[in-house]
């Protein structure tokens, strides 16, 4: 998330919390596609982490991007920590370890997503290359230890860094060593939201397998195809996971609000200060019973910022966020929005996808989620390998994009963006399996070639 919210409207009732999310409802004609992707910066010389400070650091990179783009800087205590496109709505932000994130503007087609991505990468290279900085398109840093990672100067990250070891084994790895690509999509009603949420939660392991791209830790195979996905299984389970209650009767905006009210908070922001309230519930804050801010009531900003710190496999804000995929090289990035748009923005494909998952129970969905980081396509649900499910979902997505019939300047529809996924299905191997073969073969037991082959 590029910017913390700054709407200081005081909250008086639970209905306001529900209404804030409900404002995301929009007609199908106004549906948009948002794509966020993270990439790991590294020094072109020596393949080392890039610090924030210095003339060749992340801060200097952001300053250069500001001059090139003319975007508004996002500042914190005198440090530039991001950029915002006031006109288009896109933003650049920093994850805790310096991961460089583009939060794309809401666009109408996957073609526009690809165009935005290509422009962004060209702009980043123009500034980064003279600084000796490259970017890696993997789900996790393949060679650096946690201790080697820099820390970006953002107050929320200091609070999270202190809190994470209290609630899971891998929270600091999630923060500092992983990257993801994420797709954000709209809904036309509460019922439409619920259906899309359920389908996408159940099928998030499919995306994990298709984009599995993090098989190395500190220079060696880690035993997983998506260690980034495994990390989320033991990061902070009070705010992550497969949200089984979303499949129960009564699911809707109010149910999500009730869930979010009880998710532990990280911080409250007042002016430029982040107040550490880690571990306390928003419900107590909402009722004026916070031990950290006694008698104070939250604002709309506090609610919006709190929702941004909840990390289930699919997250509801005023749109739905698909969170199951590893970061990948640039050529595969548009494939994620294409996959989900084809499944969720076409009613026929959405109905068919629901038919696939509607009889799975919570235990089966969880078991699939637990198995996919290690097994990828070989994970099973009921009597099916995940590979079979993924193949069927890719076909449904392809058909959905065909029916959308959004053409580019060459007359091609959005199915062309699924080609990298079709190649993966045709090979029967997740991307990480291909990388492991290279590691054991032409890479001669080294991950260093990844900095060339998987660089942006």
């Amino acid at each position: 998330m590029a910017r913390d919210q700054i709407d200081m409207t005081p909250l008086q009732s639970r209905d306001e919390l529900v209404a804030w999310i409900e404002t995301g409802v929009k007609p199908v004609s106004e549906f948009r596609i948002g794509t966020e992707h993270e990439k790991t910066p590294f020094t072109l010389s020596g393949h080392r982490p890039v610090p924030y400070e210095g003339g060749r650091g992340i801060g200097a990179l952001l300053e250069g991007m500001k001059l090139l783009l003319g975007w508004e800087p996002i500042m914190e205590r005198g440090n530039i920590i991001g950029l915002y496109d006031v006109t288009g709505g896109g933003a650049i932000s920093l994850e805790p370890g310096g991961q460089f994130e583009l939060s794309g503007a809401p666009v109408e087609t996957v073609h526009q997503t690809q165009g935005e991505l290509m422009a962004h990468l060209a702009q980043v290279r123009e500034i980064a290359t003279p600084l000796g900085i490259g970017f890696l398109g993997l789900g996790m840093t393949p060679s650096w230890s946690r201790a080697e990672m820099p820390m970006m100067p953002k107050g929320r990250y200091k609070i999270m860094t202190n809190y994470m070891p209290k609630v899971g084994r891998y929270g600091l790895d999630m923060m500092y060593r992983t990257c993801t690509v994420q797709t954000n999509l709209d809904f036309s009603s509460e019922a439409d939201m619920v259906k899309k949420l359920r389908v996408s939660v159940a099928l998030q392991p499919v995306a994990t397998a298709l984009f599995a791209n993090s098989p190395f830790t500190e220079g060696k195979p880690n035993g997983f195809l998506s260690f980034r996905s495994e990390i989320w299984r033991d990061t902070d389970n009070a705010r992550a996971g497969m949200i089984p209650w979303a499949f129960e009767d009564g699911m809707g905006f109010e149910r999500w609000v009730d869930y979010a009210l009880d998710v532990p908070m990280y911080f409250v922001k007042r002016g430029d200060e982040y107040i550490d309230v880690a571990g306390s519930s928003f419900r107590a804050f909402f009722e004026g019973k916070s031990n950290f801010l006694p008698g104070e009531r939250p604002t709309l900003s506090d609610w919006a910022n709190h929702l941004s710190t909840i990390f289930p496999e699919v997250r509801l804000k005023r749109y739905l966020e698909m969170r199951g995929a590893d970061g990948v090289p640039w050529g595969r990035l548009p494939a994620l929005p294409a996959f989900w748009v084809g499944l969720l923005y076409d009613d026929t494909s959405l109905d068919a996808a629901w038919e696939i998952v509607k009889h799975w129970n919570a235990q089966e969905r969880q078991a699939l989620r637990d198995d996919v980081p290690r097994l990828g396509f070989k994970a099973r649900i009921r009597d099916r390998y995940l590979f079979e499910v993924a193949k069927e979902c890719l076909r449904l997505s392809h058909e959905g994009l065909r029916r959308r019939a959004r053409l580019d300047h060459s007359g091609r529809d959005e199915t062309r963006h699924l080609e990298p996924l079709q190649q993966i299905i045709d090979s029967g191997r997740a991307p990480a399996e291909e990388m492991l073969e290279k590691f054991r073969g032409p890479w001669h037991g080294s991950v260093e070639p990844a900095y060339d082959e998987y660089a942006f």
Side-chain angles (χ1 to χ4, degrees):
M1 184 177 180
R3 301 184 302 167
D4 292 317
Q5 298 295 304
I6 53 174
D7 186 333
M8 300 305 289
T9 304
L11 294 169
Q12 303 297 330
S13 72
R14 175 176 170 275
D15 290 345
E16 293 173 278
L17 308 182
V18 176
W20 189 87
I21 297 176
E22 197 169 10
T23 57
V25 171
K26 52 175 58 81
V28 173
S29 61
E30 295 181 14
F31 278 9
R32 295 294 182 265
I33 305 161
T35 303
E36 304 178 26
H37 84 270
E38 301 163 359
K39 47 200 173 292
T40 300
F42 63 90
T43 62
L44 293 173
S45 175
H47 300 159
R48 303 300 302 154
V50 180
Y52 179 85
E53 302 80 6
R56 298 166 75 85
I58 298 296
L61 176 61
L62 282 173
E63 290 285 359
M65 293 294 290
K66 181 185 74 170
L67 293 174
L68 177 67
L69 299 173
W71 288 10
E72 288 292 317
I74 303 169
M75 306 295 294
E76 185 174 323
R77 296 189 178 275
N79 295 309
I80 185 169
I81 58 167
L83 299 167
Y84 181 66
D85 180 5
V86 176
T87 303
I92 292 170
S93 59
L94 300 178
E95 293 300 304
Q99 303 96 314
F100 211 71
E101 178 177 358
L102 173 68
S103 298
V107 298
E108 295 184 42
T109 71
V110 184
H111 307 308
Q112 291 170 322
T113 295
Q114 185 190 44
E116 174 188 60
L117 171 67
M118 294 299 100
H120 168 73
L121 294 180
Q123 293 155 355
V124 168
R125 291 190 197 106
E126 183 176 340
I127 303 301
T129 302
L131 297 177
I133 298 173
F135 295 92
L136 193 60
L138 296 180
M140 182 173 176
T141 54
S143 55
W144 309 329
S145 70
R146 187 190 292 174
E148 292 176 284
M149 300 305 300
M151 181 176 180
M152 298 300 104
K154 297 179 68 170
R156 62 156 55 193
Y157 294 157
K158 183 177 180 180
I159 292 169
M160 292 171 66
T161 298
N162 292 334
Y163 180 69
M164 282 297 189
K166 302 173 184 177
V167 291
R169 282 191 298 166
Y170 293 134
L172 297 181
D173 295 300
M174 179 278 291
M175 291 177 64
Y176 290 95
R177 296 205 284 180
T178 65
C179 284
T180 186
V181 53
Q182 177 177 305
T183 297
N184 305 328
L185 299 176
D186 291 315
F187 43 83
S188 61
S189 66
E190 184 173 45
D192 186 47
M193 179 280 291
V194 171
K195 189 172 187 178
K196 287 174 176 172
L197 177 69
R198 288 171 172 171
V199 166
S200 55
V201 167
L203 292 178
Q204 214 58 218
V206 171
T208 299
L210 285 168
F211 288 80
N213 203 32
S214 46
F216 304 114
T217 304
E218 296 177 25
K220 301 295 181 184
N222 52 37
F224 294 87
L225 301 179
S226 174
F227 192 53
R228 184 207 62 84
S229 182
E230 177 67 13
I231 281 170
W232 275 111
R233 293 183 61 234
D234 196 359
T235 285
D236 182 351
N237 289 330
R239 69 183 72 246
M242 292 290 280
I243 49 175
W245 46 265
F247 293 80
E248 297 171 359
D249 291 345
M251 176 57 194
F253 297 131
E254 291 190 26
R255 183 66 184 86
W256 189 274
V257 166
D258 289 336
Y259 158 67
L261 281 169
D262 292 320
V263 171
M265 298 173 67
Y266 285 145
F267 64 86
V268 172
K269 190 177 184 185
R270 291 293 179 264
D272 290 333
E273 182 183 3
Y274 285 86
I275 301 168
D276 187 345
V277 298
S280 62
S281 80
F282 198 93
R283 187 182 298 277
F285 185 26
F286 185 68
E287 294 172 352
K289 299 176 182 177
S290 169
N291 293 330
F292 298 91
L293 299 161
E296 186 169 341
R297 297 290 294 270
T299 68
L300 198 53
S301 275
D302 296 326
W303 178 237
N305 290 334
H306 177 57
L307 290 180
S308 77
T309 67
I310 298 172
F311 305 126
E313 292 294 292
V314 179
R315 178 164 64 189
L316 172 64
K317 292 196 287 191
R318 289 188 283 191
Y319 43 83
L320 291 167
E321 303 179 344
M322 313 292 125
R323 299 176 48 82
D326 283 6
V328 290
W330 66 266
R332 291 184 195 142
L333 284 172
L336 187 76
F339 177 75
W340 288 116
V341 166
L343 276 181
L344 302 184
Y345 272 6
D346 176 80
D347 287 342
T348 302
S349 289
L350 179 59
D351 288 343
W354 176 239
E355 287 297 318
I356 294 173
V357 307
K358 70 179 183 181
H359 297 299
W360 298 350
N361 63 41
Q363 292 74 27
E364 290 166 337
R365 292 191 300 269
Q366 186 62 52
L368 181 63
R369 166 67 183 89
D370 291 344
D371 289 344
V372 74
R374 186 183 297 274
L375 299 177
F377 292 132
K378 297 181 182 68
R380 294 179 67 93
I381 185 160
R382 296 196 171 188
D383 59 347
R384 304 185 75 187
Y385 283 107
L386 186 62
F387 178 77
E388 302 170 64
V389 179
K391 187 174 183 179
E392 185 174 358
C393 288
L394 188 59
R395 176 182 61 79
L396 292 176
S397 177
H398 193 280
E399 292 171 357
L401 294 178
R402 281 278 188 221
R403 283 187 289 268
R404 264 172 61 85
R406 304 297 179 89
L407 306 182
D408 65 11
H409 62 278
S410 300
R412 298 172 295 179
D413 64 29
E414 293 165 309
T415 59
R416 70 184 182 90
H417 302 291
L418 293 177
E419 289 173 6
L421 302 187
Q422 189 61 56
Q423 292 169 6
I424 290 166
I425 290 295
D426 290 345
S427 74
R429 298 181 303 168
E433 293 174 287
E434 177 185 300
M435 293 178 67
L436 287 165
E437 283 191 12
K438 292 178 179 179
F439 179 83
R440 299 183 187 107
W443 289 4
H444 303 294
S446 170
V447 298
E448 286 298 301
Y451 290 94
D452 295 317
E453 293 188 31
Y454 293 85
F456 282 90

